[in-house]
């Protein structure tokens, strides 16, 4: 029997949980796991329900819509592996982590392809049997480059796009094609050290911990809603280069952790924040 | 309007959330926060609901009982400060942490009294205006000592008893008087280093992290269900005494964190484990 | 036999450790612990040596000066408790932590006095038998207020001043009176969330971890060299107020940890960074 | 100019650092980094010195021996990549982590070969161009199996052997061939959950954190000196299988971190403990 995940967010009402579970029961669906959250400031209600059973998605959605207040978002997804495309530049540790998890079926996703503006990681992708597309930005305007990227991307119809140390900024036009569907790993504990070379910035500021932040990509650089963060301690013996080296471990683990949450459809947006159920 | 916390655990059924929220709605109660968990091995269902409104506890409980499967546990508690008694021996850091939080209304509990088998901490308790009872174990059998302790304890009718580095073992008879109501802090990362002098044991084993464990007290020493754990890194420069010193910070913070969970009625037992909602 | 701590920093030379240990040996001093560090970028050498024996400080310093390159800093301090003054405003958790450690001789320092621009914490200080000075800023210019603070401070001749959630900015003139001798705790993971209300800022940015930073105070707000940092995880269920509440635990522990390093004379400045030996 | 690492441990004397640095100076060697530690219980002195220059190893060692007390251990190693062999069984995450670091020159070692009692990971090793030897234990006594393993091992003359989730116990005879040269990763926070299936044990005990321990292998199962440990939080929602899954991330990172320390010749034994300089 198939399993699905229902995600609802809407203005809070006293009756919501009772009403939603009632609809699921009437559809003969069996709730496996359920979580809710009401944001105390905005009074917005969030609910994630995993259920088993034969589902008529259209009928379920329409009955739920009728039971919920105006402004409700209802999303239904099958449980299981997502189809994704990974975008990279030259650094191997984050892509390598994802390829390895993919190879041993531990990521909750199938990497359909890798796209890069450099060909550095082509051998690594090929070694794992993953199609690699080199879409160089050289001699192209940003707009022309993004058009070329989109051509490749769209041929795969990915559910999510993962920027695994993709080091070029994507335009708002590009990003708006994939709302809540692009995940980036930034190599700092945001909002500290926005922008280029955060490890050098961290070194010069003399911090005693460095971090990494996985976030959805929105229009503004490094300002997307945060999904997961991690840190590791450093000290005066670390040069900027050694901070970068140490940081790789936390980057790849934080990215993998965030992706797991995203692929299990646990992450909701609440303004600039995320709710994770 | 008053706030209450309803805790239910029972064998899982498809209809439970819908049924329980239905009862609450019929009683005109407004759900503020709700969490559920179904243990996949035992198929036991757990639910914690915070709600506001005028509640007729007896009617609510009886209607819930009628809606739930055999073997359900239903507990209803008002939200707010708990009445507790703290038992100590000679070490000040855990009691001091609790006294300070109590003084500034940050613990979710009112410390009604402190009981100790030594008078070492009497000045500290008095300084915070908390009644202190010195119930010496000297010249008394364990049974006679526990009877004397119980005499004092029962005069306060505490909802919870906190062993804040109380260094004597309590008998099963004593413990059985307060099921799920005695919380202890053990100065190791259980189940490593059960028993006496865990820091010495940790030092000799050459561990690179030391920990603390807050747990409910059951019949068996240091084997009660774990509520919270914490660790801090140590290295070869720490002597056993310095490990103990470093460990105090994690002990007191872990104890305070566990108590917060307990006092907010978030902790359920599931065999030897806890479910925290 | 008394124990001292020698701290040296100077341009690196191949012969330094050999030369310095030679001087100590000739003075009949017994090295207990020794640490060195050479910064690879600036080629500056740092050394901290704990030694036992009767020391003629002037002769030792002068012989060391003769053995070291131009630009050497030589500092000699007795080991043991420091005399400190604690400055506070209204929040009790950091001062309370220090008072408790002081009371049980766990801080490596004697709190000679507490100074505050409010009288809120006077009862807490008095309860621990620590002199409390209320130096209100109301109706005074900043300059007049600081003069009044300095009058009290100087009467105690503190070796270090600890800002334990002292919520007013000190002028560069004030700070320059106590170079490398004022330690502050900032309630964020610097350099994220500089300035006022960092927990509100953190909440709005949707971070998944909050932190605290202990640093030396220099002329520029929240930009002093970092001594210690710590973090705790938070999630969407934390309101800004709950983040602040959770943050208190990490603030007080990070402050205490930083002070231990400072009081043991382990912290050296290297530009905007610290070297901790 | 080549770089070497000198490791000395011996009974403590006042003059040691001065004497040792004197020998290095006389040999025209330039100290890059230096660390010492004296264990307060055993009064044993440990020193690790990185130096640059043309070294006559025999002359240096003999002059050092003459300057040091009886019972000194002096070890000299070139800095740089170690030659290692990795032993695995069927789990890919730890070997995969090492292969990836090896491929991108981030491990401080060259993996000369992989040996396994199963052929499961042969494709992964081959994909990275690393020789793979399948030495099955089936139909062989333990002794015969170990002889076959040793035949392969000795053909590579490895400086270190890494057990990257090698799931068979090695005999004391085998282990004694490689003293302080076999590193294992154990999937628990030792000494909790010694032996088989630690995640199941951890699950049943209801711990709130799971860990991993990298240690030298000695005669006694899971009792070798600990090099590094790490933990991650878990809760009641983790099944035993999910704990195992979550634990993989900490296992592989802890193993990689321990290996870095070992390959940089930073780890000394002190009875059952390690000193890490």
């Amino acid at each position: 029997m198939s399993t699905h995940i229902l995600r609802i967010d809407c203005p809070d009402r006293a009756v919501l949980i009772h009403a939603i579970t009632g609809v699921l029961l009437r559809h003969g669906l069996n709730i496996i796991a359920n979580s809710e959250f009401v944001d105390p400031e905005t009074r917005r209600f969030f609910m994630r329900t995993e259920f088993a059973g034969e589902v008529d998605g259209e009928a379920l959605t329409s009955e739920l819509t009728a039971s919920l207040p105006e402004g409700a978002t209802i999303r239904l997804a099958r449980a299981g592996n997502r189809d994704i495309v990974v975008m990279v530049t030259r650094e191997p540790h984050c892509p390598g982590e994802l390829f390895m998890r993919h190879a041993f079926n531990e990521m909750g996703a199938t990497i359909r392809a890798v796209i890069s503006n450099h060909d550095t990681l082509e051998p690594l992708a090929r070694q794992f049997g993953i199609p690699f597309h080199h879409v160089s930005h050289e001699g192209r305007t940003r707009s022309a480059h993004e058009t070329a990227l989109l051509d490749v991307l769209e041929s795969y119809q990915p559910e999510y796009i993962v920027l695994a140390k993709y080091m070029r900024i994507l335009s708002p036009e590009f990003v708006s094609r994939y709302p809540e569907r692009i995940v980036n790993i930034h190599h700092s504990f945001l909002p500290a050290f926005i922008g280029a070379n955060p490890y050098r910035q961290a070194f010069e500021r003399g911090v005693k911990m460095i971090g990494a932040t996985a976030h959805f990509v929105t229009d503004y650089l490094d300002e997307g809603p945060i999904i997961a963060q991690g840190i590791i301690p450093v000290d005066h013996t670390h040069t900027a280069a050694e901070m970068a080296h140490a940081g790789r471990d936390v980057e790849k683990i934080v990215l993998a952790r965030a992706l797991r949450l995203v692929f299990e459809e646990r992450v909701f947006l609440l303004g600039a924040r995320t709710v994770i159920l």
Side-chain angles (χ1 to χ4, degrees), chain A:
Chain A
M1 207 155 44
S2 66
T3 303
H4 284 78
I5 297 153
L6 174 67
R7 292 198 292 163
I8 291 172
D9 69 270
C10 62
D12 191 30
R13 297 287 179 274
V15 78
L16 289 172
I17 302 173
H18 188 67
I20 295 165
T21 52
V23 172
L24 292 167
L25 284 171
R26 278 196 297 281
H27 279 251
L29 301 168
N30 190 24
I31 297 174
I32 297 166
N34 197 56
S35 310
E36 316 92 30
F37 173 68
V38 177
D39 179 53
E41 291 205 359
T42 59
R43 303 306 307 164
R44 194 155 185 96
F45 170 89
F46 297 85
M47 182 163 166
R48 178 191 182 276
T49 308
E50 250 179 272
F51 62 83
E54 288 314 311
V55 64
D56 174 343
E58 218 165 294
L60 181 70
T61 304
S62 121
E63 196 172 334
L64 284 167
T65 305
S67 313
L68 295 173
E70 284 287 308
T73 306
I74 301 170
R75 282 174 290 189
L76 186 63
R78 65 182 167 74
N81 268 10
R82 304 282 158 235
D83 275 346
I84 67 169
V85 167
V86 176
M87 292 175 67
V88 305
T89 294
R90 270 186 287 217
E91 275 188 84
H93 59 284
C94 283
E97 180 74 19
L98 302 187
F99 298 169
M100 194 74 76
R101 287 175 190 254
H102 164 85
F104 292 94
N105 204 21
E106 296 201 335
M107 192 166 55
T110 302
I111 303 176
R112 300 291 312 285
V114 176
I115 305 178
S116 179
N117 53 328
H118 289 275
D119 60 5
T120 316
L121 297 178
E122 177 154 7
L124 186 66
R126 296 231 177 276
Q127 170 185 325
F128 281 93
I130 305 170
F132 182 94
H133 299 268
H134 178 202
V135 182
S136 177
H137 60 279
E138 295 202 26
R140 275 170 166 150
T141 62
R142 184 162 84 161
S143 164
H145 184 232
E146 291 195 345
T147 301
L149 291 173
L150 285 169
D151 279 352
V152 181
L153 270 174
E154 280 167 17
S155 71
Y156 289 102
Q157 300 278 343
E159 294 174 273
Y160 290 102
I161 298 166
V162 179
L163 308 186
K165 306 286 285 183
Y166 180 72
M167 302 305 279
R168 290 177 67 80
I169 294 168
L170 296 168
S171 72
E173 292 70 37
F174 185 103
V175 170
S176 67
R177 301 283 284 267
Y178 299 97
E180 293 184 50
R181 289 168 58 194
I182 309 179
V183 176
N184 183 45
I185 180 73
H186 181 78
H187 41 315
S188 90
F189 190 80
L190 287 175
F193 311 128
I194 287 172
N197 216 339
Y199 290 118
R200 183 75 215 175
Q201 292 182 57
F203 171 77
E204 285 174 1
R205 184 61 188 85
V207 294
K208 299 301 187 187
M209 289 176 164
I210 53 173
T213 303
H215 62 95
F216 282 121
V217 178
T218 54
D219 290 9
Y220 303 101
L221 176 64
D222 300 338
E223 297 206 348
I226 294 170
I227 304 164
Q229 296 189 293
I231 60 97
I232 47 167
V234 290
D235 62 30
H236 62 272
T237 66
H238 288 79
T239 61
E242 285 163 344
M243 284 189 184
H245 193 277
R248 282 172 207 152
D249 286 351
V250 71
E251 288 170 28
K252 72 186 187 186
I253 299 298
V254 165
L255 176 60
R257 190 150 46 87
L259 291 179
R260 197 177 170 86
L261 297 171
V262 169
F263 297 160
E264 291 179 358
E265 308 291 341
R266 297 187 178 279
V267 188
F268 296 71
L269 290 197
L270 169 56
R273 299 185 288 137
T274 59
V275 169
I276 298 179
L277 296 182

